[in-house]
Amino acid sequence: MSLGQAQPGGLPPQRAAPARGSLATTACMETLQVGYLHAVAAAAGCSLAQPFPDNGVDWHVSHGSPGHTVDDEVTIKVQLKCTYQLPPHPTGSTFPFTLDNDHLVKLARTPVAVHKILVVMIVPRDPEDWLRASHDRLDLRHCCYWTNLAGHPVTGRRRTTVRVPTARIFDDRALCEIMTRVGRGGRP
């Protein structure tokens, strides 16, 4: 087996596709977005809890800080979604994402004791393109974006399209900023 030269950024060249398991692509997408959430939470110094049963929200993310004024630890609820139907680097200031109305009602409820956010991950259609690893990094493609849907109206008969801001990339810094706002008694 011949190893090629590293590409710019230190990533090794792409290898031949291995025989992947038979798990449904949508199930694999769910697993990938959970891995993304875990990585972001770890880098932000947050803990994660998965409610059982989930009742419409996938994860509880908690952040402790002496800078919080409402409590020493604050929590938000996170609903994860994943799609390959959108291109990477969506153009414009927002992109559309459609939710079932029952789900939107849960995410849009206001006022709340614990704030909720929607995190949408855009991935390539082909799982072969989801990630690349090298000795110094792991690249996940493409990106997660977040929004707070509190107060968002239901507009469709069964489903409603919401707009997700492209400026709200969900990473460790964004999560820390969200938690800081919540920790001061504000909204995400």
Side-chain angles (χ1 to χ4, degrees):
M1 180 167 134
S2 169
L3 296 177
Q5 295 295 320
Q7 294 175 341
L11 289 175
Q14 206 156 4
R15 302 180 308 232
R20 298 193 184 274
S22 59
L23 194 60
T25 300
T26 54
C28 294
M29 290 165 63
E30 287 180 34
T31 302
L32 184 69
Q33 67 188 1
V34 168
Y36 188 113
L37 175 65
H38 276 77
V40 167
C46 293
S47 62
L48 293 170
Q50 191 172 21
F52 181 79
D54 72 19
N55 196 27
V57 175
D58 294 323
W59 292 91
H60 293 188
V61 181
S62 298
H63 180 268
S65 172
H68 294 325
T69 57
V70 297
D71 200 343
D72 62 332
E73 182 176 76
V74 294
T75 299
I76 62 168
K77 297 177 181 180
V78 175
Q79 176 61 50
L80 297 173
K81 294 292 183 182
C82 191
T83 183
Y84 54 70
Q85 296 178 353
L86 296 166
H89 310 289
T91 59
S93 60
T94 64
F95 63 85
F97 191 80
T98 303
L99 293 168
D100 290 334
N101 287 343
D102 291 342
H103 210 155
L104 176 59
V105 167
K106 288 183 183 208
L107 294 174
R109 183 184 170 116
T110 187
V112 294
V114 179
H115 294 282
K116 301 174 193 99
I117 64 171
L118 171 67
V119 175
V120 179
M121 184 173 194
I122 298 175
V123 297
R125 182 174 289 275
D126 186 352
E128 177 69 23
D129 297 326
W130 287 358
L131 63 89
R132 300 277 302 281
S134 70
H135 293 282
D136 65 340
R137 70 199 227 201
L138 173 67
D139 285 345
L140 284 174
R141 295 182 59 212
H142 292 290
C143 190
C144 283
Y145 303 88
W146 72 274
T147 191
N148 177 0
L149 295 173
H152 195 288
V154 168
T155 57
R157 286 185 54 200
R158 286 186 221 108
R159 298 173 57 99
T160 296
T161 299
V162 300
R163 305 296 304 182
V164 180
T166 55
R168 290 189 180 163
I169 293 174
F170 187 70
D171 63 9
D172 57 316
R173 291 175 187 265
L175 182 54
C176 287
E177 291 167 359
I178 289 167
M179 293 308 211
T180 297
R181 287 189 293 272
V182 171
R184 292 181 182 147
R187 292 174 50 159

